[in-house]
Amino acid sequence: MNNLKHTLWSGGWDSSFRVLQLLISAGEPMQPYYVYDHRRKSTSYEIEAIRRIIAGLQKEFPRAAALLQPVKIVNKSRLKKDAQTRQWYEELNRLYTLGIQYEWFARLSRQYGISDLELGIVRHTEEEIPQFNLDLERNIREVEDQYRLIDQPVLHGLRLFENFCFPVIRYSKDDMGTEARKLGFHHLLALSWYCYHPGKNGIPCGECKPCQIARISGYDHHFQPYSHKPVRKFHFPRFKKEGLLNLSP
Ligand SMILES: [Zn+2]
């Protein structure tokens, strides 16, 4: 499949929107990647969200579900170290305090030979746009319906993003909700997960960064106690490099 899209899927709102949009609306085949970090407390919730969204797809949108390849889980601890991505990352991190996950994603794209890995960076309103997003947007061009880094970014470190596409960079979280409603998959999008520190009853903590963003953006998951709580804890062998997500809970 040479038109296969490669998409990072964390189980969150932005990447889940992109997965559903590609499969249901664009009807394009897709290979999703979930990057596993053993230190992350919300992993089981994210995996549960992915499983539930796929189950919903298979039931309600079987033709779209058939376009989805098994989710590839990539263990970030087993990605090879890469001096070049480290240098780019450090250059950016000195300026912006950038999440380390972007360095993992860049290493993944290089080590898996993917030159168009879809990353869910979204649009911010003018009042709240972080400087990093502003500078990134200034160095992105649209070519054949894809948003990509320009060839000579002003900041050398932005080359960290040279293997990425930014399919939702013109969307706010609210825009995604509106489009999902229009296309009939909002209830699947509402199965997504964002909080880093879910409480015992499975309700988001309300305090971590994604929770704060969720409050500002006001997107609706219809949370109830235990409504998004995983059936069981997700385990991935610490020293395994990659694997395919088993869909049974
Ligand atoms: Zn939270």
Side-chain angles (χ1 to χ4, degrees):
M1 275 187 271
N2 53 12
N3 59 342
L4 186 70
K5 298 276 197 226
H6 299 269
T7 303
L8 289 163
W9 191 6
S10 67
W13 181 265
D14 310 335
S15 58
S16 298
F17 169 80
R18 177 55 179 166
V19 167
L20 292 164
Q21 182 198 40
L22 254 184
L23 297 172
I24 294 172
S25 173
E28 295 197 47
M30 192 223 325
Q31 173 62 64
Y33 299 83
Y34 176 88
V35 178
Y36 173 72
D37 172 13
H38 70 271
R39 293 170 310 179
R40 205 172 165 90
K41 291 199 177 74
S42 50
T43 297
S44 296
Y45 280 79
E46 294 166 359
I47 293 290
E48 179 75 7
I50 289 174
R51 280 187 177 134
R52 288 189 192 186
I53 290 170
I54 294 175
L57 255 182
Q58 289 172 334
K59 201 167 147 210
E60 299 172 46
F61 301 92
R63 278 168 63 183
L67 297 165
L68 180 69
Q69 299 296 303
V71 178
K72 204 171 265 186
I73 298 175
V74 177
N75 188 350
K76 70 101 185 161
S77 312
R78 303 294 290 166
L79 287 167
K80 286 192 224 93
K81 291 210 174 359
D82 176 342
Q84 180 65 83
T85 58
R86 191 74 205 175
Q87 187 194 329
W88 289 334
Y89 171 75
E90 281 175 358
E91 191 182 319
L92 295 181
N93 196 38
R94 276 195 292 275
L95 293 168
Y96 309 110
T97 322
L98 194 68
I100 186 68
Q101 70 273 21
Y102 294 119
E103 202 249 330
W104 307 340
F105 299 159
R107 276 195 271 157
L108 186 158
S109 71
R110 287 156 69 92
Q111 290 168 31
Y112 282 73
I114 305 166
S115 60
D116 50 4
L117 185 58
E118 293 198 344
L119 176 63
I121 292 182
V122 303
R123 183 172 70 76
H124 294 68
T125 61
E126 268 171 42
E127 306 83 65
E128 51 137 15
I129 186 165
Q131 189 61 41
F132 164 70
N133 295 66
L134 197 60
D135 290 345
L136 179 67
E137 285 188 21
R138 285 174 178 152
N139 285 275
I140 282 177
R141 70 198 195 302
E142 186 181 359
V143 185
E144 293 170 2
D145 288 338
Q146 279 191 334
Y147 292 99
R148 304 206 53 138
L149 195 70
I150 57 174
D151 291 332
Q152 302 289 336
V154 177
L155 286 167
H156 193 66
L158 282 173
R159 291 192 57 196
L160 188 70
F161 296 92
E162 67 183 6
N163 288 338
F164 294 97
C165 301
F166 306 94
V168 292
I169 202 145
R170 295 286 175 260
Y171 284 82
S172 68
K173 289 178 187 289
D174 205 32
D175 294 338
M176 294 183 212
T178 304
E179 185 165 324
R181 273 202 181 85
K182 210 166 70 190
L183 296 169
F185 63 76
H186 187 276
H187 60 298
L188 298 182
L189 187 55
L191 298 170
S192 61
W193 184 260
Y194 53 81
C195 171
Y196 291 151
H197 306 290
K200 278 204 168 56
N201 59 357
I203 296 285
C205 74
E207 286 168 22
C208 68
K209 183 108 185 279
C211 277
Q212 289 173 24
I213 294 171
R215 197 156 46 233
I216 297 165
S217 312
Y219 47 87
D220 198 354
H221 287 66
H222 306 290
F223 287 115
Q224 299 292 328
Y226 307 101
S227 62
H228 288 59
K229 200 166 179 182
V231 180
R232 70 171 66 116
K233 213 166 179 286
F234 175 73
H235 286 288
F236 192 79
R238 228 13 212 277
F239 297 100
K240 200 171 160 183
K241 191 177 165 213
E242 61 169 56
L244 297 179
L245 178 63
N246 178 356
L247 288 180
S248 52

